């Protein structure tokens, strides 16, 4: 068994109906594939119908699971309600929601127009709010016994990050939404958790965050204590657990999956990693002599 293999029994999500925003590409697609393999009926949504159709064709051929797609801009509440209506029409229920859709690009903040800043806030924070509110209202009205929401954030939701300030601002909001509603809606059987991924190469993220030769200039693996990037199946394994009944007592949590990346950047003396082994004898001697 290795970390990049599927982790669960085939029926772990059997019968569950799960909406995944941004499910047509990248990490959303990886979660969609695995949830289907585990028996879920998955509804994917994004703005690009052709992309959704291609992904649907591919995953239906590849797995025995069920999949439906509905085009939707997460910023538009009416379109979000339409996704719920279409899901209920086809499958009769909704058990889970993964708020995965996002927009992001690197830029010095002072170069951003007001609209550019708003665009990221609207996709990430307003979009997650829209789906969360629509699903929450539905579950509460129907008195559904249990349901779960998983929000995909980032580690800079709590550290902040230069050059992706709208994204950091919005993801921090999504994390606050997660923790707040985990308490408020627990009485309705609704659990909310978040995953904070470190670097998981996807075309969507890498084209916008490491364009051109930045990929070579900044070897992202060097920022990670484990010296590698994440594999999509690893994230899908964690997401499947958090969407399943096995995680029934986990609520309001954010789970980091980043090989230790953000802590490497944070620890005051982590730079001492660069000191060669042979220097430690000398350093110890110098410190001991300071009595
Ligand atoms: C400055 C920019 C810009 C750029 C767009 N804008 N790109 N400003 N630098 N590189 C400005 C535009 O000029 C416009 O402002 C405003 O932003 C909206 O742009 P549109 O193109 O009209 O918006 P839209 O079509 O809605 O597209 C949204 C998008 C696009 C975010 C700009 O990139 C997109 O569709 N992204 C979706 C996928 C994505 O981003 N995936 C990566 C997620 S990665 P004006 O003022 O001119 O009107 C991620 C990882 C986090 O979140 C952590 C990694 C470790
Ligand atoms: P991605 O493939 O670009 O995924 C983003 C998805 O969001 C796309 O499918 C996109 O589809 C959809 N989307 C964007 N704007 C939308 C809108 N207005 N309405 C509906 N859908 C919209 O990138 P990814 O790397 O897989 O990112 C997935 C999630 O992981 C994001 O939340 C991201 O912040 C998070 N994350 C990724 C990394 C990483 O290293 N990859 C690290 C930390 C966190 P359309 O363009 O078709 O609408």
């Amino acid at each position: 068994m290795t970390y990049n293999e599927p982790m669960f029994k085939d029926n772990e999500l059997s019968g569950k109906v799960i909406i995944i925003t941004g499910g047509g590409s990248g990490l959303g697609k990886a979660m969609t594939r695995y949830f289907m393999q585990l028996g879920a009926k998955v509804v994917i949504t994004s703005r690009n119908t052709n992309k959704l159709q291609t992904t649907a064709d591919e995953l239906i051929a590849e797995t025995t699971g069920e999949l439906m797609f509905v085009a939707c801009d997460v910023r538009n509440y009416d379109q979000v309600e339409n996704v719920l209506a279409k899901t209920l029409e086809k499958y009769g229920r909704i058990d889970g929601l993964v708020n995965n859709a996002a927009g992001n690009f690197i830029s010095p903040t002072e170069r951003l127009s007001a609209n550019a800043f708003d665009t990221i806030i609207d996709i990430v924070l307003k979009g997650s709010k829209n789906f969360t509110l629509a699903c929450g209202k539905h579950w509460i009205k129907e008195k559904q016994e249990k349901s779960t929401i998983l929000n995909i954030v980032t580690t800079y939701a709590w550290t902040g990050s230069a050059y992706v300030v709208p994204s950091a601002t919005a993801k921090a909001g999504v994390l606050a939404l997660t923790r707040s509603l985990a308490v408020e809606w627990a009485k309705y059987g609704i659990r909310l958790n978040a995953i904070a991924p470190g670097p998981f190469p996807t075309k969507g993220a890498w084209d916008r965050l490491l364009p051109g030769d930045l990929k070579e200039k900044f070897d992202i693996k060097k920022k990670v204590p484990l010296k590698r990037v994440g594999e999509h199946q690893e994230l899908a394994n964690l997401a499947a657990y958090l969407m399943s009944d096995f995680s029934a007592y986990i609520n309001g949590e954010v789970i980091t999956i980043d090989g230790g990346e953000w802590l490497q950047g944070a620890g005051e003396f982590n730079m001492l990693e660069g000191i060669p082994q042979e220097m430690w004898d000398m350093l110890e001697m110098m410190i001991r002599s300071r009595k």
Side-chain angles (χ1 to χ4, degrees), residues 16-42:
K16 287 195 190 294
V17 178
I18 299 173
I19 298 173
I20 304 183
T21 68
S25 64
L27 299 180
K29 182 174 171 182
M31 288 186 274
T32 302
R33 176 187 286 110
Y34 194 38
F35 292 5
M36 287 170 75
Q37 287 168 351
L38 293 172
K41 299 175 172 107
V42 183

Coordinates of all heavy atoms in Angstrom, one line a residue, residues 16-42:
K16 N -24.9 8.2 -1.5 CA -24.8 9.6 -1.1 C -24.8 10.4 -2.4 O -24.2 10.1 -3.4 CB -23.5 9.9 -0.3 CG -23.6 9.4 1.1 CD -22.5 10.1 1.9 CE -22.4 9.4 3.3 NZ -23.5 9.6 4.2
V17 N -25.6 11.5 -2.3 CA -25.6 12.5 -3.5 C -24.8 13.7 -3.1 O -25.1 14.4 -2.0 CB -27.1 12.9 -3.8 CG1 -27.1 13.9 -4.9 CG2 -27.9 11.7 -4.1
I18 N -23.7 14.0 -3.8 CA -22.8 15.0 -3.4 C -22.6 16.0 -4.6 O -22.3 15.6 -5.7 CB -21.4 14.4 -3.0 CG1 -21.6 13.4 -1.8 CG2 -20.4 15.5 -2.7 CD1 -20.4 12.6 -1.5
I19 N -22.7 17.3 -4.3 CA -22.5 18.3 -5.2 C -21.0 18.8 -5.1 O -20.6 19.1 -3.9 CB -23.4 19.5 -5.0 CG1 -24.9 19.1 -5.2 CG2 -23.0 20.7 -6.0 CD1 -25.9 20.2 -4.9
I20 N -20.3 18.9 -6.2 CA -18.9 19.4 -6.1 C -18.8 20.6 -7.1 O -18.9 20.4 -8.3 CB -17.9 18.3 -6.5 CG1 -18.0 17.0 -5.6 CG2 -16.4 18.8 -6.4 CD1 -17.0 15.9 -5.9
T21 N -18.5 21.7 -6.5 CA -18.4 22.9 -7.4 C -17.0 22.9 -8.0 O -16.0 22.4 -7.3 CB -18.6 24.2 -6.6 OG1 -17.5 24.4 -5.7 CG2 -19.9 24.3 -5.9
G22 N -16.8 23.3 -9.2 CA -15.5 23.2 -9.9 C -15.1 21.8 -10.1 O -13.9 21.5 -10.1
G23 N -16.1 20.9 -10.2 CA -15.8 19.4 -10.3 C -15.3 19.0 -11.7 O -15.0 17.8 -11.8
G24 N -15.2 19.9 -12.6 CA -14.8 19.5 -14.0 C -13.3 19.5 -14.2 O -12.8 19.0 -15.3
S25 N -12.5 20.0 -13.3 CA -11.1 20.0 -13.5 C -10.3 19.9 -12.2 O -10.9 20.0 -11.1 CB -10.7 21.4 -14.2 OG -11.0 22.5 -13.3
G26 N -9.0 19.7 -12.3 CA -8.1 19.7 -11.2 C -8.5 18.8 -10.0 O -8.9 17.7 -10.1
L27 N -8.4 19.4 -8.8 CA -8.7 18.7 -7.6 C -10.2 18.3 -7.5 O -10.6 17.2 -7.0 CB -8.3 19.5 -6.4 CG -6.8 19.8 -6.3 CD1 -6.5 20.6 -5.0 CD2 -5.9 18.6 -6.3
G28 N -11.1 19.1 -8.0 CA -12.5 18.8 -8.1 C -12.8 17.6 -8.9 O -13.6 16.7 -8.5
K29 N -12.1 17.4 -10.0 CA -12.2 16.2 -10.8 C -11.7 15.0 -10.1 O -12.3 13.9 -10.2 CB -11.5 16.5 -12.1 CG -11.7 15.3 -13.1 CD -11.0 15.7 -14.5 CE -11.0 14.5 -15.4 NZ -10.3 14.9 -16.7
A30 N -10.6 15.1 -9.4 CA -10.0 14.0 -8.7 C -11.0 13.5 -7.6 O -11.2 12.3 -7.4 CB -8.7 14.4 -8.1
M31 N -11.6 14.5 -6.9 CA -12.6 14.1 -5.8 C -13.8 13.4 -6.5 O -14.3 12.5 -6.0 CB -13.0 15.3 -5.0 CG -11.9 15.8 -4.1 SD -12.4 17.2 -3.0 CE -12.2 18.6 -4.0
T32 N -14.2 14.0 -7.6 CA -15.4 13.5 -8.3 C -15.2 12.0 -8.7 O -16.0 11.1 -8.5 CB -15.7 14.3 -9.6 OG1 -15.9 15.7 -9.2 CG2 -16.9 13.8 -10.3
R33 N -14.0 11.8 -9.3 CA -13.7 10.4 -9.8 C -13.7 9.4 -8.6 O -14.4 8.4 -8.6 CB -12.3 10.4 -10.4 CG -11.8 9.0 -10.8 CD -10.4 8.9 -11.2 NE -10.2 9.5 -12.6 CZ -9.6 10.6 -12.8 NH1 -9.1 11.3 -11.8 NH2 -9.5 11.1 -14.1
Y34 N -13.1 9.8 -7.5 CA -13.0 8.9 -6.3 C -14.4 8.7 -5.7 O -14.7 7.6 -5.3 CB -11.9 9.4 -5.3 CG -11.6 8.3 -4.3 CD1 -11.4 7.0 -4.7 CD2 -11.3 8.7 -3.0 CE1 -11.1 6.0 -3.8 CE2 -11.0 7.7 -2.1 CZ -10.9 6.4 -2.5 OH -10.5 5.4 -1.5
F35 N -15.1 9.8 -5.5 CA -16.4 9.6 -4.9 C -17.3 8.7 -5.7 O -18.1 7.9 -5.2 CB -17.1 11.0 -4.8 CG -16.5 12.0 -3.8 CD1 -15.3 11.6 -3.1 CD2 -17.1 13.2 -3.5 CE1 -14.7 12.5 -2.2 CE2 -16.5 14.1 -2.6 CZ -15.3 13.7 -1.9
M36 N -17.2 8.8 -7.1 CA -18.0 7.9 -7.9 C -17.5 6.5 -7.7 O -18.3 5.6 -7.6 CB -17.8 8.3 -9.4 CG -18.5 9.6 -9.8 SD -18.0 10.2 -11.4 CE -18.9 9.0 -12.5
Q37 N -16.2 6.3 -7.6 CA -15.7 4.9 -7.4 C -16.2 4.3 -6.1 O -16.4 3.1 -5.9 CB -14.2 4.9 -7.4 CG -13.6 5.1 -8.8 CD -12.0 5.4 -8.7 OE1 -11.5 5.6 -7.7 NE2 -11.4 5.4 -9.9
L38 N -16.5 5.3 -5.1 CA -17.0 4.8 -3.8 C -18.5 4.7 -3.7 O -19.0 4.6 -2.7 CB -16.4 5.7 -2.7 CG -14.9 5.7 -2.5 CD1 -14.4 6.8 -1.6 CD2 -14.4 4.3 -2.0
G39 N -19.1 4.9 -4.9 CA -20.6 4.6 -4.9 C -21.5 5.9 -4.8 O -22.7 5.8 -4.8
A40 N -20.8 7.1 -4.8 CA -21.7 8.3 -4.7 C -22.3 8.7 -6.0 O -21.7 8.3 -7.1 CB -20.8 9.4 -4.1
K41 N -23.4 9.4 -5.9 CA -23.9 10.1 -7.1 C -23.4 11.5 -7.1 O -23.7 12.2 -6.1 CB -25.4 10.0 -7.1 CG -26.0 8.6 -7.1 CD -27.5 8.6 -7.0 CE -28.0 7.2 -7.2 NZ -28.5 6.6 -5.9
V42 N -22.6 11.9 -8.1 CA -22.0 13.2 -8.0 C -22.6 14.2 -9.0 O -22.8 13.8 -10.1 CB -20.4 13.1 -8.2 CG1 -19.7 14.4 -8.0 CG2 -19.9 12.0 -7.2

